[in-house]
DNA sequence: TATATTTTATGATATTTGTCATGTTACATA
DNA sequence: TATGTAACATGACAAATATCATAAAATATA
C-alpha cells in the first residue's frame, strides 16, 4: 500500500496542508481500495466515519428525490475528497457515491482526521475554504436549475465535461457519461436528454460516435437558448 | 449603539463562541444600521469587507440568472449572518441581499473577525459547521428544483414560511411575501405562482385575505402532487 | 379624497418537458 | 458467432409551464 507522503493527489486537496508528522499518521491508518465502475462507495443515510480521497477515476454524488429519481449533485474527480461535510457536521451522509469508471480511493477514519481539524489551523482553514467553494458552486447550480431550460443546462454540462476532463486524441469528451447520467445531472427525463443531444447533433453543435460525444461548436453551444 | 455582549441575537449564530474579550473588541468596531423594506444591503459582485449580523427583520439573498431573472437562494432571518462565505473565501459576494421588511443589522469589518477565525478554534469550527449545514440545505434545494414540480415547490415554500416565521393572531403567515417573491423562491414565472396559489385556494389548502395567506390544510399541502 | 402605480388575478395560447410505446444499436457473455 | 441485455433513439401524445394580454384589486402618493 502506497504512502500519503508520496501521493501526488493530495496536492489537489486539503491534505496538502498537513504537516509531515500528521501525514505519516494519516497514512498509517488509511485504507486504500479499488472500486469498479458502477460500484457504490457509500449511500445517502449511511454514517461515514471518515473521509474518502479520490486517487483515480470519477464518481457521481447523487441524491434520491422524493419522487424516486436520482439527481447528480456533483462529480468527484481525481484529488477530490468526499465526506468532508459529514465529517464536519457529524451527520449521516446526504449523498450516495457511485463510481462512473474504475477508481482507486483511500479512506481515512474519522477520529484520525478530526484531530487535525482541531489542531491544525491551516488544515481547518483549507477545509473551510473548500466548503465555501462547494457552497458557491451549489448555489450557482441551484439558480441554473431554477432558471435555465433543460437545453441550456445540457449544453452547459457538455462544456463542463470538456473543460474539466478534456478530450481524447480524436476530440471526443474524455469522460464518457451515459445519456442517463446526463439526464440526472441536468435534472430531466432520459428521453429528453437524448432528444436534445440529437437536436444538437442536427444543428452541428456536437457529433457522436456510439455513446461518445464530440463538441463541434463550443461557441454556439454556450449560447443555446 | 448597543453592545454585542448584551445582544440576544448572537446566541443564534457563530458569535456566541467568541470569548468575552473577543466580543468586546468586535462590539467596539461594529456598526449598526437600520434598513428599510426593499433596500439593498449588498450586491452580487461587490466585495463585502466584513460580515453582517441580522438583528431584526428578514432579508432575501438572490442571484441574477443569465436570463435576467432573480432567483432567491435563501432567506436570512433574525440571528442569521450574511457574508461568511465571502469572509472565508476572500471572494466578492455571490449574492444580493434585499430587505423583505424593515431590518436592523450590524456590520463587523473583515480584519476584526478574520483574526478570531484564525485564533479561536471554537469560532472557526462553528462557522465550518454552519457552512456545512448551508451546503446541505443548498444541495437539497438543488434536488427539489431539479426534480419537483412548481406546485410541489410552492406548497413546500408555504410550509417553510409557516414553520420558520409562524402565524399571526388570525392564523395568517406572519411573514408577508409578495407573489413575486414566491415566484423567485420556487423559480417560476409570477403568473404561474399566482395561478397555483389560486388553485390551492379552490382546493381548500389555503385561504387568502389580500396578499395575506393562511394555510388551511397543512397535511394535504405537504402531499401535493 | 382622487389619481397613479403596483400587485394580484385570469384567459388564451405557445412552448417546454414528461410519459409511454416501440424500435434500433451497441455490447457483454455464453 | 449467436443471443440476450442494456443503452440509445424517436414518435405520439399528455401535462406542465411560460408568455402575452387584459382587468381587477390593493396600495401609494399627490
Amino acid at each position: 500500500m502506497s504512502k500519503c507522503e508520496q501521493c501526488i493527489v493530495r496536492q489537489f486537496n486539503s491534505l496538502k496542508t498537513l504537516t509531515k508528522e500528521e501525514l505519516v499518521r494519516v497514512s498509517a491508518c488509511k485504507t486504500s481500495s479499488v472500486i469498479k465502475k458502477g460500484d457504490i462507495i457509500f449511500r445517502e443515510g449511511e454514517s461515514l466515519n471518515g473521509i474518502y480521497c479520490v486517487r483515480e477515476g470519477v464518481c457521481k454524488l447523487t441524491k434520491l428525490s422524493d419522487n424516486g429519481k436520482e439527481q447528480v449533485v456533483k462529480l468527484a474527480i481525481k484529488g477530490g475528497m468526499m465526506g468532508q461535510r459529514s465529517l464536519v457536521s457529524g451527520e449521516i451522509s446526504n449523498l450516495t457515491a457511485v463510481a462512473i469508471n474504475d477508481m482507486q480511493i483511500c479512506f481515512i477514519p474519522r477520529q484520525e482526521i478530526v484531530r487535525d481539524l482541531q489542531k491544525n489551523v491551516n488544515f481547518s482553514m483549507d477545509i473551510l475554504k473548500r466548503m465555501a467553494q462547494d457552497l458557491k458552486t451549489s448555489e450557482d447550480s441551484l439558480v441554473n436549475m431554477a432558471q435555465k431550460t433543460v437545453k441550456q443546462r445540457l449544453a452547459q454540462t457538455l462544456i463542463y465535461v470538456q473543460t474539466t476532463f478534456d478530450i481524447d486524441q480524436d476530440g471526443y469528451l474524455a469522460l464518457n457519461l451515459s445519456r442517463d447520467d446526463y439526464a440526472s445531472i441536468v435534472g430531466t427525463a432520459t428521453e429528453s436528454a437524448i432528444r436534445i443531444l440529437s437536436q444538437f447533433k442536427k444543428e452541428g453543435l456536437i457529433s457522436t460516435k456510439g455513446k461518445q460525444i464530440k463538441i463541434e461548436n463550443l461557441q454556439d453551444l454556450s449560447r443555446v437558448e
Side-chain angles (χ1 to χ4, degrees), chain A residues 57-121:
Chain A
V58 182
C59 168
K60 58 180 175 182
L61 291 153
T62 68
K63 190 170 161 65
L64 210 59
S65 171
D66 293 340
N67 66 10
K69 283 194 192 161
E70 80 164 13
Q71 175 64 37
V72 174
V73 173
K74 66 177 199 169
L75 299 180
I77 69 179
K78 192 188 214 173
M81 300 208 336
M82 303 187 287
Q84 320 95 293
R85 206 201 59 82
S86 292
L87 179 78
V88 165
S89 68
E91 294 169 342
I92 54 175
S93 176
N94 191 34
L95 304 172
T96 297
V98 184
I100 283 182
N101 44 36
D102 292 348
M103 300 181 75
Q104 291 174 46
I105 59 172
C106 293
F107 175 78
I108 305 168
R110 180 184 170 79
Q111 61 268 31
E112 285 301 325
I113 201 78
V114 153
R115 188 192 310 195
D116 302 319
L117 202 56
Q118 301 280 350
K119 296 278 166 60
N120 184 334
V121 180

Coordinates of all heavy atoms in Angstrom, one line a residue, chain A residues 57-121:
Chain A
G57 N -10.0 8.0 -11.1 CA -11.4 7.8 -11.5 C -12.3 8.9 -11.2 O -11.9 9.9 -10.6
V58 N -13.5 8.7 -11.6 CA -14.6 9.7 -11.3 C -15.8 9.1 -10.7 O -16.1 7.9 -11.0 CB -15.0 10.4 -12.7 CG1 -16.0 11.4 -12.4 CG2 -13.8 10.9 -13.4
C59 N -16.5 9.8 -9.9 CA -17.6 9.3 -9.1 C -18.7 10.3 -9.1 O -18.4 11.5 -9.0 CB -16.9 9.1 -7.7 SG -18.0 8.8 -6.4
K60 N -19.9 9.9 -9.2 CA -21.0 10.8 -9.1 C -21.6 10.8 -7.7 O -21.8 9.7 -7.1 CB -22.1 10.5 -10.2 CG -22.7 9.1 -10.1 CD -23.7 8.9 -11.2 CE -24.2 7.5 -11.2 NZ -25.2 7.2 -12.3
L61 N -22.0 12.0 -7.2 CA -22.6 12.1 -5.9 C -24.0 12.4 -6.1 O -24.4 13.5 -6.6 CB -21.9 13.1 -5.1 CG -20.4 12.7 -4.7 CD1 -19.5 13.8 -4.5 CD2 -20.5 11.8 -3.4
T62 N -24.9 11.5 -5.8 CA -26.3 11.7 -6.1 C -27.2 11.7 -4.9 O -26.8 11.3 -3.8 CB -26.8 10.5 -7.0 OG1 -26.8 9.3 -6.2 CG2 -25.9 10.3 -8.2
K63 N -28.4 12.2 -5.1 CA -29.4 12.3 -4.0 C -30.7 11.8 -4.6 O -31.1 12.2 -5.7 CB -29.5 13.7 -3.5 CG -30.3 13.8 -2.2 CD -30.2 15.2 -1.6 CE -31.3 15.4 -0.6 NZ -31.2 14.5 0.6
L64 N -31.4 11.0 -3.8 CA -32.7 10.5 -4.3 C -33.8 11.5 -4.0 O -33.9 12.0 -2.8 CB -33.0 9.2 -3.6 CG -33.9 8.2 -4.3 CD1 -33.2 7.8 -5.6 CD2 -34.1 7.0 -3.4
S65 N -34.5 11.9 -5.0 CA -35.6 12.8 -4.8 C -36.8 12.0 -4.2 O -36.9 10.8 -4.3 CB -36.0 13.5 -6.1 OG -37.1 14.2 -6.0
D66 N -37.8 12.8 -3.7 CA -39.0 12.1 -3.1 C -39.7 11.3 -4.2 O -40.4 10.3 -3.9 CB -40.0 13.2 -2.6 CG -39.3 13.9 -1.3 OD1 -38.4 13.3 -0.8 OD2 -39.8 15.0 -1.0
N67 N -39.6 11.7 -5.4 CA -40.3 11.0 -6.5 C -39.6 9.8 -7.0 O -40.0 9.1 -7.9 CB -40.7 12.0 -7.7 CG -39.4 12.4 -8.4 OD1 -38.3 11.9 -8.1 ND2 -39.5 13.4 -9.3
G68 N -38.5 9.5 -6.3 CA -37.7 8.3 -6.7 C -36.7 8.4 -7.7 O -36.0 7.4 -8.1
K69 N -36.5 9.6 -8.3 CA -35.5 9.8 -9.3 C -34.2 10.3 -8.6 O -34.2 11.0 -7.7 CB -35.9 10.9 -10.3 CG -36.9 10.3 -11.3 CD -37.1 11.2 -12.5 CE -38.3 10.9 -13.3 NZ -38.7 12.0 -14.2
E70 N -33.1 9.8 -9.2 CA -31.8 10.3 -8.6 C -31.3 11.5 -9.3 O -31.4 11.7 -10.6 CB -30.7 9.1 -8.7 CG -30.1 9.0 -10.0 CD -28.8 8.1 -9.9 OE1 -28.6 7.5 -8.9 OE2 -28.0 8.1 -10.9
Q71 N -30.8 12.4 -8.5 CA -30.2 13.7 -9.1 C -28.7 13.7 -8.8 O -28.3 13.5 -7.6 CB -30.9 14.9 -8.4 CG -30.4 16.2 -8.8 CD -30.5 16.5 -10.2 OE1 -31.5 16.2 -10.8 NE2 -29.6 17.2 -10.8
V72 N -27.9 13.9 -9.8 CA -26.5 14.1 -9.5 C -26.2 15.5 -9.0 O -26.6 16.5 -9.6 CB -25.7 13.9 -10.8 CG1 -24.2 14.2 -10.6 CG2 -25.8 12.5 -11.3
V73 N -25.6 15.6 -7.8 CA -25.4 16.9 -7.2 C -24.0 17.4 -7.6 O -23.8 18.6 -7.8 CB -25.5 16.8 -5.7 CG1 -25.1 18.0 -5.0 CG2 -26.9 16.4 -5.3
K74 N -23.0 16.5 -7.6 CA -21.7 16.9 -8.2 C -20.9 15.7 -8.6 O -21.3 14.5 -8.2 CB -21.0 17.8 -7.2 CG -20.6 17.1 -5.9 CD -19.8 18.1 -5.1 CE -18.9 17.5 -4.1 NZ -18.0 18.5 -3.5
L75 N -19.8 15.9 -9.2 CA -18.9 14.8 -9.6 C -17.6 15.0 -8.7 O -17.1 16.1 -8.6 CB -18.5 14.9 -11.1 CG -19.7 14.7 -12.1 CD1 -19.1 14.8 -13.5 CD2 -20.4 13.4 -11.9
A76 N -17.1 13.9 -8.2 CA -15.8 13.9 -7.5 C -14.8 13.4 -8.5 O -14.9 12.3 -9.0 CB -15.9 13.1 -6.3
I77 N -13.7 14.1 -8.6 CA -12.7 13.7 -9.6 C -11.4 13.5 -8.8 O -11.2 13.8 -7.6 CB -12.5 14.7 -10.7 CG1 -11.9 16.0 -10.2 CG2 -13.9 15.0 -11.3 CD1 -11.7 17.1 -11.2
K78 N -10.4 13.0 -9.6 CA -9.0 12.8 -9.0 C -8.6 13.9 -8.1 O -8.6 15.1 -8.5 CB -8.1 12.7 -10.2 CG -6.7 12.2 -9.9 CD -5.8 12.3 -11.1 CE -4.8 11.1 -11.1 NZ -4.0 11.1 -12.3
G79 N -8.2 13.6 -6.9 CA -7.8 14.6 -6.0 C -8.9 15.1 -5.1 O -8.6 15.8 -4.1
G80 N -10.1 14.8 -5.5 CA -11.2 15.3 -4.7 C -11.4 14.5 -3.4 O -10.9 13.4 -3.3
M81 N -12.1 15.1 -2.5 CA -12.4 14.4 -1.3 C -14.0 14.3 -1.1 O -14.7 15.1 -1.6 CB -11.9 15.1 -0.1 CG -10.3 15.2 -0.2 SD -9.4 15.3 1.4 CE -10.6 16.0 2.5
M82 N -14.4 13.2 -0.4 CA -15.8 13.0 -0.2 C -16.0 12.8 1.2 O -15.2 12.1 1.9 CB -16.3 11.8 -1.0 CG -16.0 11.9 -2.5 SD -16.8 10.6 -3.5 CE -15.7 9.2 -3.0
G83 N -17.1 13.3 1.7 CA -17.4 13.1 3.1 C -17.0 14.2 4.1 O -17.2 14.0 5.3
Q84 N -16.4 15.3 3.6 CA -16.0 16.4 4.5 C -17.2 16.9 5.2 O -17.1 17.3 6.4 CB -15.3 17.5 3.8 CG -14.4 17.2 2.7 CD -15.1 17.3 1.3 OE1 -16.0 16.5 1.1 NE2 -14.8 18.3 0.5
R85 N -18.3 17.1 4.5 CA -19.5 17.7 5.1 C -19.9 16.8 6.3 O -20.2 17.4 7.4 CB -20.6 17.8 4.1 CG -21.6 19.0 4.5 CD -22.9 18.7 3.8 NE -23.5 17.5 4.2 CZ -24.2 17.3 5.3 NH1 -24.4 18.3 6.2 NH2 -24.7 16.1 5.6
S86 N -20.0 15.6 6.1 CA -20.4 14.7 7.2 C -19.4 14.7 8.3 O -19.7 14.6 9.5 CB -20.6 13.3 6.7 OG -21.7 13.2 5.9
L87 N -18.1 14.8 8.0 CA -17.0 14.8 8.9 C -17.2 16.0 9.9 O -17.1 15.9 11.1 CB -15.7 15.0 8.2 CG -14.4 15.1 9.1 CD1 -14.0 13.7 9.6 CD2 -13.3 15.7 8.4
V88 N -17.5 17.2 9.3 CA -17.6 18.4 10.0 C -18.9 18.4 10.8 O -18.9 18.8 12.0 CB -17.6 19.6 9.0 CG1 -18.1 20.9 9.7 CG2 -16.2 19.8 8.5
S89 N -20.0 18.0 10.2 CA -21.3 18.1 10.9 C -21.6 17.0 11.8 O -22.4 17.0 12.7 CB -22.4 18.3 9.9 OG -22.6 17.0 9.1
G90 N -20.9 15.9 11.6 CA -21.2 14.7 12.3 C -22.4 14.0 11.9 O -22.9 13.0 12.6
E91 N -23.0 14.5 10.8 CA -24.3 13.9 10.4 C -24.1 12.7 9.4 O -23.0 12.5 8.9 CB -25.1 14.9 9.7 CG -25.6 16.0 10.6 CD -26.2 17.2 9.8 OE1 -26.0 17.3 8.6 OE2 -26.9 18.0 10.4
I92 N -25.1 11.9 9.2 CA -25.1 10.9 8.2 C -24.9 11.5 6.8 O -25.1 12.7 6.6 CB -26.4 10.1 8.2 CG1 -27.6 11.0 8.1 CG2 -26.5 9.2 9.5 CD1 -28.9 10.3 7.9
S93 N -24.5 10.7 5.9 CA -24.3 11.2 4.5 C -25.6 11.7 3.9 O -26.6 11.1 4.0 CB -23.7 10.2 3.6 OG -23.5 10.7 2.3
N94 N -25.4 12.8 3.2 CA -26.6 13.4 2.5 C -26.6 12.8 1.0 O -27.6 13.0 0.3 CB -26.4 14.9 2.4 CG -27.6 15.7 1.9 OD1 -28.7 15.2 2.2 ND2 -27.4 16.7 1.2
L95 N -25.6 12.2 0.6 CA -25.4 11.8 -0.8 C -25.0 10.4 -0.9 O -24.4 9.8 0.0 CB -24.4 12.7 -1.5 CG -24.6 14.2 -1.4 CD1 -23.4 15.0 -1.9 CD2 -25.9 14.6 -2.2
T96 N -25.3 9.8 -2.1 CA -24.8 8.5 -2.5 C -23.6 8.7 -3.4 O -23.7 9.5 -4.3 CB -25.9 7.7 -3.1 OG1 -26.9 7.5 -2.2 CG2 -25.4 6.3 -3.6
A97 N -22.5 7.9 -3.3 CA -21.4 8.0 -4.2 C -21.3 6.7 -5.1 O -21.2 5.6 -4.5 CB -20.1 8.1 -3.4
V98 N -21.4 6.9 -6.4 CA -21.3 5.8 -7.3 C -20.2 6.0 -8.3 O -20.1 7.1 -8.9 CB -22.7 5.7 -8.1 CG1 -22.6 4.4 -9.0 CG2 -23.8 5.6 -7.2
A99 N -19.4 5.0 -8.5 CA -18.2 5.1 -9.4 C -18.7 5.2 -10.9 O -19.5 4.4 -11.3 CB -17.3 4.0 -9.2
I100 N -18.2 6.2 -11.6 CA -18.6 6.3 -13.0 C -17.6 5.5 -13.9 O -18.0 5.0 -14.9 CB -18.6 7.8 -13.4 CG1 -19.9 8.5 -12.9 CG2 -18.5 8.0 -14.9 CD1 -20.0 9.9 -13.2
N101 N -16.4 5.4 -13.4 CA -15.5 4.5 -14.1 C -14.6 3.8 -13.0 O -14.9 4.1 -11.8 CB -14.6 5.2 -15.1 CG -14.1 6.5 -14.6 OD1 -13.8 6.7 -13.5 ND2 -14.0 7.5 -15.5
D102 N -13.7 3.0 -13.3 CA -12.9 2.3 -12.3 C -12.2 3.3 -11.5 O -11.6 4.3 -12.0 CB -11.9 1.3 -12.9 CG -12.7 0.1 -13.6 OD1 -13.9 0.0 -13.3 OD2 -12.0 -0.6 -14.3
M103 N -12.1 3.1 -10.2 CA -11.5 4.1 -9.3 C -10.5 3.4 -8.3 O -10.6 2.3 -8.0 CB -12.6 4.8 -8.4 CG -13.6 5.5 -9.2 SD -14.8 6.3 -8.1 CE -13.9 7.7 -7.5
Q104 N -9.6 4.3 -7.8 CA -8.9 4.0 -6.6 C -9.1 5.1 -5.6 O -9.0 6.2 -5.9 CB -7.4 4.0 -6.9 CG -6.9 2.9 -7.8 CD -5.4 3.1 -8.2 OE1 -4.6 3.4 -7.3 NE2 -5.1 3.0 -9.4
I105 N -9.5 4.6 -4.4 CA -9.8 5.6 -3.4 C -9.1 5.2 -2.1 O -8.8 4.0 -1.8 CB -11.3 5.8 -3.1 CG1 -11.9 4.4 -2.7 CG2 -12.0 6.3 -4.3 CD1 -13.4 4.5 -2.2
C106 N -8.9 6.2 -1.2 CA -8.4 5.9 0.1 C -9.4 6.4 1.2 O -10.1 7.4 0.9 CB -7.1 6.7 0.4 SG -5.8 6.0 -0.7
F107 N -9.5 5.7 2.3 CA -10.4 6.1 3.3 C -9.6 6.4 4.6 O -8.7 5.6 5.0 CB -11.3 4.9 3.6 CG -12.2 5.1 4.8 CD1 -13.4 5.9 4.6 CD2 -12.0 4.6 6.0 CE1 -14.2 6.1 5.7 CE2 -12.8 4.8 7.1 CZ -13.9 5.6 6.9
I108 N -9.9 7.6 5.2 CA -9.2 8.0 6.4 C -10.3 8.0 7.5 O -11.2 8.7 7.4 CB -8.6 9.4 6.2 CG1 -7.6 9.4 5.0 CG2 -7.8 9.8 7.5 CD1 -7.2 10.8 4.6
P109 N -10.0 7.2 8.6 CA -11.0 7.2 9.6 C -11.2 8.5 10.3 O -10.3 9.3 10.4 CB -10.4 6.2 10.6 CG -9.4 5.5 9.9 CD -8.9 6.4 8.8
R110 N -12.5 8.7 10.7 CA -12.9 10.0 11.3 C -12.0 10.5 12.5 O -11.5 11.6 12.5 CB -14.3 9.8 11.8 CG -14.9 11.0 12.5 CD -16.3 10.6 13.0 NE -16.8 11.7 13.9 CZ -17.3 12.9 13.4 NH1 -17.4 13.0 12.1 NH2 -17.7 13.8 14.2
Q111 N -11.8 9.6 13.4 CA -11.0 10.0 14.6 C -9.6 10.5 14.3 O -9.1 11.5 15.0 CB -11.0 8.9 15.7 CG -10.3 7.7 15.3 CD -11.3 6.6 14.7 OE1 -12.3 7.0 14.1 NE2 -11.0 5.4 14.9
E112 N -9.0 10.0 13.3 CA -7.7 10.4 12.9 C -7.7 11.9 12.3 O -6.9 12.7 12.7 CB -7.1 9.5 11.9 CG -6.6 8.2 12.4 CD -5.6 8.3 13.5 OE1 -4.7 9.2 13.4 OE2 -5.6 7.5 14.4
I113 N -8.7 12.1 11.5 CA -8.6 13.4 10.7 C -9.3 14.5 11.5 O -9.0 15.7 11.4 CB -9.3 13.1 9.3 CG1 -8.8 14.2 8.4 CG2 -10.8 13.0 9.4 CD1 -7.5 14.0 7.8
V114 N -10.2 14.1 12.4 CA -10.9 15.1 13.2 C -9.9 15.8 14.1 O -9.9 17.0 14.4 CB -12.0 14.5 14.1 CG1 -12.3 15.3 15.3 CG2 -13.3 14.4 13.3
R115 N -8.9 15.0 14.6 CA -7.9 15.6 15.4 C -7.1 16.7 14.7 O -6.9 17.8 15.3 CB -6.9 14.4 15.7 CG -5.8 14.8 16.7 CD -4.7 13.7 16.8 NE -5.3 12.3 16.9 CZ -4.5 11.3 17.2 NH1 -3.2 11.5 17.4 NH2 -5.0 10.1 17.2
D116 N -6.8 16.5 13.5 CA -6.1 17.5 12.7 C -7.0 18.7 12.4 O -6.5 19.9 12.4 CB -5.6 16.9 11.3 CG -4.8 15.7 11.5 OD1 -3.9 15.7 12.4 OD2 -4.9 14.7 10.8
L117 N -8.2 18.5 12.3 CA -9.2 19.6 12.1 C -9.2 20.5 13.3 O -9.3 21.7 13.1 CB -10.6 19.0 11.9 CG -11.7 19.8 11.2 CD1 -11.2 20.2 9.8 CD2 -13.0 18.9 11.1
Q118 N -9.0 20.0 14.4 CA -9.0 20.8 15.7 C -7.6 21.4 15.9 O -7.6 22.6 16.3 CB -9.3 19.9 16.9 CG -10.6 19.2 16.9 CD -11.8 20.0 17.3 OE1 -11.6 21.1 17.8 NE2 -13.0 19.5 17.0
K119 N -6.6 20.7 15.5 CA -5.2 21.2 15.9 C -4.5 22.0 14.8 O -3.8 22.9 15.1 CB -4.3 20.0 16.2 CG -4.8 19.1 17.4 CD -4.3 19.8 18.7 CE -5.0 19.2 19.9 NZ -4.8 17.7 20.1
N120 N -4.8 21.7 13.6 CA -4.0 22.4 12.5 C -4.9 23.4 11.8 O -5.8 23.1 11.0 CB -3.6 21.3 11.5 CG -2.7 21.9 10.4 OD1 -2.8 23.1 10.1 ND2 -1.9 21.0 9.8
V121 N -4.6 24.7 12.1 CA -5.4 25.8 11.6 C -5.3 25.8 10.1 O -6.4 26.1 9.4 CB -4.9 27.1 12.2 CG1 -5.8 28.2 11.6 CG2 -5.0 27.1 13.7

